[in-house]
Amino acid sequence: MCAEKKTRIVKTIEIDVDKCNGCRACEVICSAFHAEPKYSSNNPARSRIRVIREPLRDIYVPVYAGEYTMAECAGRDKYIIDGKEYDECSFCRASCPSRVEFKEPDSGLPLKCDMCEGEDEPLCVKWCLAEALIYVEREEEYEVEEEKPEDLEIGLEALADKYGLEKLVDTVARLAAKE
Amino acid sequence: MRYAETGFNLEVDLSRGNVEKVATDPRDTELYLGGLGTNAKILWDRVPPETDAFDPENLLIFSTGLLNATPATGCNRTIISTISPQTKLMAFSMMGGFWAPELKYAGYDKVIIRGKSPDLVYLYINNDTVEIRDASHLQGKGAIETAEALRQELGDPKLQVSAIGLAGENRVFFASIEQGRSSASRGGIGAVMGDKGLKAIAVRGTKDINLAKPAEFIGLCNEVLEYIKYREDHPIPGVMPILAGLGSPQEMKIHDEKWHTENFMWGNSRVRRKGFWTDEIAKAWTETMESVRRRLISCYNCPMKCGATISVPGLPTYMMKCFSKLTYTMAAMSDLEFGLSIAQKATEYGVDGFSTPQVMAFALELLENGILKESDFPGMPEDNEGRFYWLLDRIVRREGIGDILADGTYWAAERIGNGAHEYAHNNIKKHEQLPLKLSMLNPVYFLMYSTGEKINITQIEGQFPQAPFPKKEQREEFVKDWIQVPDEKFKQYFLDWEPRGENSNPYYPTPQIASEIVDWQEMMHYVDDALGTCAGLSSFPLKPPYHIHNYPKFIEAGTGIPMDKDKLVEITRRNRNLVRAVNIRRGMRRADEKPPANHWKKRFPELEAELLDTYYKFKGWNKDGIPTAETLKSLGLDYVCEDFIKRGILKADEEGEVNAEADQN
Ligand code: SF4
Ligand code: SF4
Ligand code: SF4
């Protein structure tokens, strides 16, 4: 059985933390771009990219807003890179209750990077003259939609094996009701 | 709605422990823009000349610039104004970094401090929460330490903190206000902060800053970014590397220090060391710098990376920029490792990197020449470097001889007497200058040194090359894409300026041409200081991205205030005259306007008098450097004129005096 392959463009931003100089221009332009009307105001507290900066420890990590999460994660690991200790949160993209990042300052609603919908290139990348942010479009092969249920089926079978089919059906029904 | 600015100031009375949020008058923005302009207006209105630096009535104003916190690249400077304890004139020191934009996002354009707190306090600003808080636990702490302590105890890594160290607490006349990445050092403003009992101002803000014409404004910003990229790829040929690009002089990045070490003076601005920069020194200093420099860093919303994080083994990490890299090294006749090590201490203590090393070298020179005695330095180590550390500690604590030295070379010499004034030889208006001693008088620099109200050459010079280019072809090449000139005539002035012969220093540029050049250079600083733009992207470097042709568009698109070149030039003249008026009212006159006597070996008293006469006339000032009634009235500064007449500074019959030449500008 051979799945049909198609290609799609995946937008990625490569982050080179060694090149970041901590200027926060990325935060300025991101928040300006998403203002209504466009560019009518700016406020880094609304930006979808945040630079985690601790100048005296030489820590500079630009992080993009990802998914919203209701609860903070249980364990927080520490990373030591080049002798510098980073909190796991320093790399986390979640809009999470444990921190102020990636939430609208007044409403608290989560923010998420949308890759500057409608622009030729992400504006944070364009404004980062230090080239700490590099925009890369790459083509990626993926298996066409129809193949997906098969994967799902395998997964469901595994779950049914583990929990029993009835319990699985109940849970799916409950989740569906919540939606 | 107010655009670009917030429209609110914070009025903080430390004597009464009172904080008030006050709406500002939008007409003041139209007249003075903001930053230095509105600071000068407030000082004129509220601090009479009878008020001394350490009187509770003196104001300490932390101001943003009009375009701070807009997306305009490099608009991040905090403009701090007060009365200086050292010069007794208006001090206006500025710092880049991150503080001013944060204040604006918190919803304020300025923090105006008056009164004195009986106990050490800090000011906490978090959007609408503004509190005067106890700082007794921060007493004696370093400036950087203080900022870190506040971030820790308040649990907010995004807090931006301006703080003083021990020097400010002890009212050292050259104490700075530090902000981690940057500092406002000149004029002793840190001493005023300490005198008021204010250890720090910690700010956090999460509000919006609005633009009047958003699409146009971003278009202009993109043009500036494009031009910065272009200039990065096209350094100016024929000038030394630190002046070829944009930004503040790139002292953290560039290792070649031949020019500074061989042309600037060592010790107490005395010794020129030609041939100092050997291959071995170059190698050793490059190694030192590379081993301690962790990263090149920027200010808020600027790509230039003029600063660096410095970690000397065994010492806490700190941040540095510009020429303070060499000032301690050269004053102590030592090496770079010493300079970068003592600078760490100096940054925590919060002292000016120009004045401090010179004060210490001055003290040792007095000792060498028997004006001070060994007994004045009890316990001072024998070794040269140890002496500098020892002196620094005495000064910031005002202990023994340190108490006298803490007033700077001018006032120390006054107290020491016995011919000490001969050794306080590098001052203008009582303020220590860059250690430069040159041969032939340069008419443009003569005017800038003499009349610059910031009393610091780097804050008035810029844009126009410091010296003529040797070959005609080089000059022609240079003027080809010189879009920044306010008028085409400046290109001709530069083309005609030659290193030797008839068209060379000191008689060319002629007094009239020199006046025009200085006026342009100074004007750009006054725009920057009102808008909060870093001089490193505007008034200081050659061919900068901001200039008199695009600035009016930025102001109009940002604020909605209709603006063109003529109107902007007029505002800079208004601000310039208002700053001068504050100082004239405090007694500054022509007699004070002179470079250090030994700045140039070859002096020309008659020519110098003609230069000042011509420049004053050009500026619309009388022979004593006082703005004439006509000048003041033409700028809408009638209130200054009235006050001058009331005080007898201008005579009533001078009111109608017509200054025809002044109209030519
Ligand atoms: S714009 Fe680039 S260099 Fe500046 S903070 Fe963002 S990622 Fe870092
Ligand atoms: S890609 Fe666009 S939306 Fe995403 S962080 Fe950058 S500027 Fe913001
Ligand atoms: S040019 Fe340099 S000093 Fe000026 S704002 Fe940019 S980084 Fe700061």
Side-chain angles (χ1 to χ4, degrees), chain B residues 371-440:
Chain B
I371 292 173
L372 287 173
K373 304 270 170 312
E374 291 289 346
S375 57
D376 292 318
F377 301 84
M380 182 167 76
E382 287 295 315
D383 68 301
N384 177 42
E385 297 180 350
R387 290 178 159 202
F388 274 78
Y389 280 106
W390 185 88
L391 280 169
L392 181 60
D393 282 342
R394 300 287 85 66
I395 289 170
V396 300
R397 293 184 171 77
R398 280 193 176 273
E399 283 170 3
I401 191 71
D403 184 41
I404 293 170
L405 296 173
D407 290 351
T409 54
Y410 176 88
W411 295 107
E414 193 89 342
R415 278 168 77 179
I416 295 165
N418 204 9
H421 265 301
E422 290 299 309
Y423 300 83
H425 66 100
N426 200 35
N427 296 334
I428 299 176
K429 295 167 188 158
K430 310 182 177 69
H431 192 43
E432 293 81 11
Q433 300 298 309
L434 271 180
L436 260 175
K437 300 292 162 202
L438 303 165
S439 173
M440 174 57 79

Side-chain angles (χ1 to χ4, degrees), chain B residues 445-464:
Chain B
Y445 272 78
F446 171 80
L447 286 177
M448 290 195 290
Y449 276 117
S450 301
T451 65
E453 227 105 2
K454 286 190 212 177
I455 328 182
N456 194 51
I457 193 65
T458 58
Q459 300 299 325
I460 175 168
E461 67 182 341
Q463 309 245 357
F464 203 85

Side-chain angles (χ1 to χ4, degrees), chain B residues 388-619:
Chain B
F388 274 78
Y389 280 106
W390 185 88
L391 280 169
L392 181 60
D393 282 342
R394 300 287 85 66
I395 289 170
V396 300
R397 293 184 171 77
R398 280 193 176 273
E399 283 170 3
I401 191 71
D403 184 41
I404 293 170
L405 296 173
D407 290 351
T409 54
Y410 176 88
W411 295 107
E414 193 89 342
R415 278 168 77 179
I416 295 165
N418 204 9
H421 265 301
E422 290 299 309
Y423 300 83
H425 66 100
N426 200 35
N427 296 334
I428 299 176
K429 295 167 188 158
K430 310 182 177 69
H431 192 43
E432 293 81 11
Q433 300 298 309
L434 271 180
L436 260 175
K437 300 292 162 202
L438 303 165
S439 173
M440 174 57 79
L441 179 97
N442 173 328
V444 171
Y445 272 78
F446 171 80
L447 286 177
M448 290 195 290
Y449 276 117
S450 301
T451 65
E453 227 105 2
K454 286 190 212 177
I455 328 182
N456 194 51
I457 193 65
T458 58
Q459 300 299 325
I460 175 168
E461 67 182 341
Q463 309 245 357
F464 203 85
Q466 298 188 358
F469 289 3
K471 293 207 183 78
K472 192 155 179 280
E473 301 78 61
Q474 290 172 312
R475 302 198 286 270
E476 279 166 356
E477 192 57 35
F478 181 81
V479 302
K480 259 187 203 154
D481 58 354
W482 205 6
I483 54 167
Q484 290 80 359
V485 289
D487 189 296
E488 289 297 304
K489 67 187 175 191
F490 289 101
K491 294 184 179 171
Q492 198 56 49
Y493 298 161
F494 182 65
L495 286 170
D496 291 345
W497 192 22
E498 288 175 358
R500 249 159 255 101
E502 217 174 292
N503 269 3
S504 71
N505 294 342
Y507 295 107
Y508 192 93
T510 65
Q512 178 63 27
I513 292 174
S515 297
E516 290 173 23
I517 293 171
V518 172
D519 188 64
W520 165 30
Q521 302 189 82
E522 181 169 72
M523 169 175 84
M524 296 318 297
H525 282 278
Y526 274 79
V527 181
D528 291 346
D529 298 349
L531 301 182
T533 323
C534 176
L537 289 179
S538 177
S539 39
F540 186 77
L542 298 167
K543 299 186 181 172
Y546 289 108
H547 42 77
I548 198 67
H549 307 295
N550 62 4
Y551 259 145
K553 297 182 199 163
F554 266 98
I555 296 167
E556 181 164 326
T559 63
I561 298 169
M563 189 60 59
D564 58 26
K565 182 181 153 198
D566 291 345
K567 212 175 143 193
L568 182 55
V569 169
E570 187 185 293
I571 293 173
T572 64
R573 292 188 62 216
R574 183 176 299 119
N575 288 351
R576 173 69 188 97
N577 278 283
L578 195 50
V579 170
R580 171 143 290 233
V582 171
N583 286 337
I584 290 289
R585 200 168 64 165
R586 303 189 80 83
M588 190 188 78
R589 294 292 183 275
R590 181 185 182 119
D592 303 300
E593 304 228 283
K594 49 178 192 254
N598 57 4
H599 186 82
W600 288 285
K601 215 178 272 155
K602 295 180 193 147
R603 298 289 292 261
F604 302 82
E606 270 171 42
L607 174 64
E608 290 173 19
E610 192 193 338
L611 277 163
L612 266 193
D613 284 343
T614 312
Y615 186 66
Y616 283 174
K617 214 174 216 179
F618 183 87
K619 286 286 213 190

